[in-house]
């Protein structure tokens, strides 16, 4: 009886150990997916409108603790920024948005700054950034799409 209990205890211990170790792998994959959003894509274009202001605004905004993703596009006099925040920080969306906007307005006083935390605006800006990176559309087309995104922001508010 003594010899039968010993292997049984070892098998039971292995089963419990494997159960705990396999349960922890899902969280690691989820946190790895969340960290992928923290990188920013710099849009390198001088034609039709230089996007260096938008790139600098992204760098400044992503440094904030609660911001996990940021997209930005600028025209000659306007800057449009979309934020992605952590799930728990969504309770403080208004204050985060207000702080980011005031910070960017101080940094870029010549630009009219628009900040959004809406997911749809984030996706629209991402598409516009990709279009700027690949195609480099004309200034007229950029302004048209920029105005469409601004109107979407006003509808959301």
């Amino acid at each position: 009886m003594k010899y039968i209990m010993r292997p049984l205890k070892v098998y039971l211990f292995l089963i419990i150990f494997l159960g705990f170790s396999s349960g922890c792998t899902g969280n690691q994959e989820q946190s790895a997916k969340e960290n992928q959003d923290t990188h920013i894509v710099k849009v390198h274009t001088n034609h039709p409108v230089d996007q260096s202001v938008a790139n600098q605004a992204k760098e400044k905004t992503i440094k904030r603790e609660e911001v996990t993703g940021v997209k930005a596009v600028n025209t000659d006099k306007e800057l449009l920024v979309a934020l992605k925040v952590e799930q728990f920080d969504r309770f403080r969306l208004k204050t985060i948005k207000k702080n980011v906007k005031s910070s960017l307005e101080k940094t870029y006083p010549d630009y009219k700054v628009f900040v959004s935390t809406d997911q749809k605006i984030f996706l629209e800006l991402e598409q516009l950034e990709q279009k700027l990176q690949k195609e480099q559309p004309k200034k007229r087309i950029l302004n048209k799409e920029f105005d469409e995104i601004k109107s979407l922001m006003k509808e959301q508010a």
Side-chain angles (χ1 to χ4, degrees):
M1 185 76 174
K2 185 176 179 182
Y3 296 111
I4 297 174
M5 291 300 284
R6 187 172 194 156
L8 187 62
K9 286 181 182 179
V10 171
Y11 290 132
L12 185 62
F13 176 74
L14 286 174
I15 291 172
I16 292 172
F17 179 74
L18 290 174
F20 279 121
S21 64
S22 66
C24 297
T25 59
N27 293 339
Q28 293 170 349
E29 291 172 8
Q30 182 180 5
S31 64
K33 284 182 183 177
E34 290 174 1
N35 287 339
Q36 288 177 342
D37 286 338
T38 58
H39 75 283
I40 58 174
V41 176
K42 293 184 181 179
V43 179
H44 299 289
T45 178
N46 293 328
H47 182 86
V49 177
D50 184 23
Q51 294 296 310
S52 63
V53 173
N55 290 335
Q56 291 170 359
K58 286 188 228 178
E59 287 176 2
K60 181 174 182 156
T61 306
I62 200 70
K63 290 179 183 175
R64 294 180 156 273
E65 183 177 316
E66 60 271 356
V67 176
T68 59
V70 63
K71 300 292 179 190
V73 174
N74 68 285
T75 60
D76 292 331
K77 295 292 176 189
E78 295 176 320
L79 174 65
L80 189 55
V81 179
L83 307 174
K84 193 183 268 189
V85 297
E86 292 184 12
Q87 193 67 27
F88 183 73
D89 290 322
R90 296 197 64 80
F91 294 114
R92 303 181 306 122
L93 281 180
K94 285 185 180 180
T95 57
I96 292 169
K97 186 174 160 180
K98 181 181 171 186
N99 291 341
V100 169
K101 184 174 182 174
S102 65
S103 172
L104 290 175
E105 285 174 339
K106 287 177 187 174
T107 307
Y108 308 106
D110 297 338
Y111 286 84
K112 184 168 181 175
V113 178
F114 300 94
V115 178
S116 176
T117 54
D118 186 21
Q119 186 69 27
K120 182 172 183 170
I121 304 298
F122 187 87
L123 294 174
E124 292 288 331
L125 273 181
E126 184 175 26
Q127 290 175 354
L128 184 56
E129 277 185 356
Q130 290 172 357
K131 190 179 287 187
L132 281 171
Q133 190 76 26
K134 292 178 184 174
E135 300 172 14
Q136 296 187 356
K138 294 181 179 166
K139 192 174 190 177
R140 175 176 56 87
I141 296 170
L142 172 67
N143 286 335
K144 180 182 173 193
E145 291 189 22
F146 195 87
D147 290 338
E148 287 175 7
I149 294 173
K150 279 192 334 190
S151 68
L152 279 175
M153 282 179 65
K154 291 177 184 175
E155 287 176 15
Q156 300 292 330

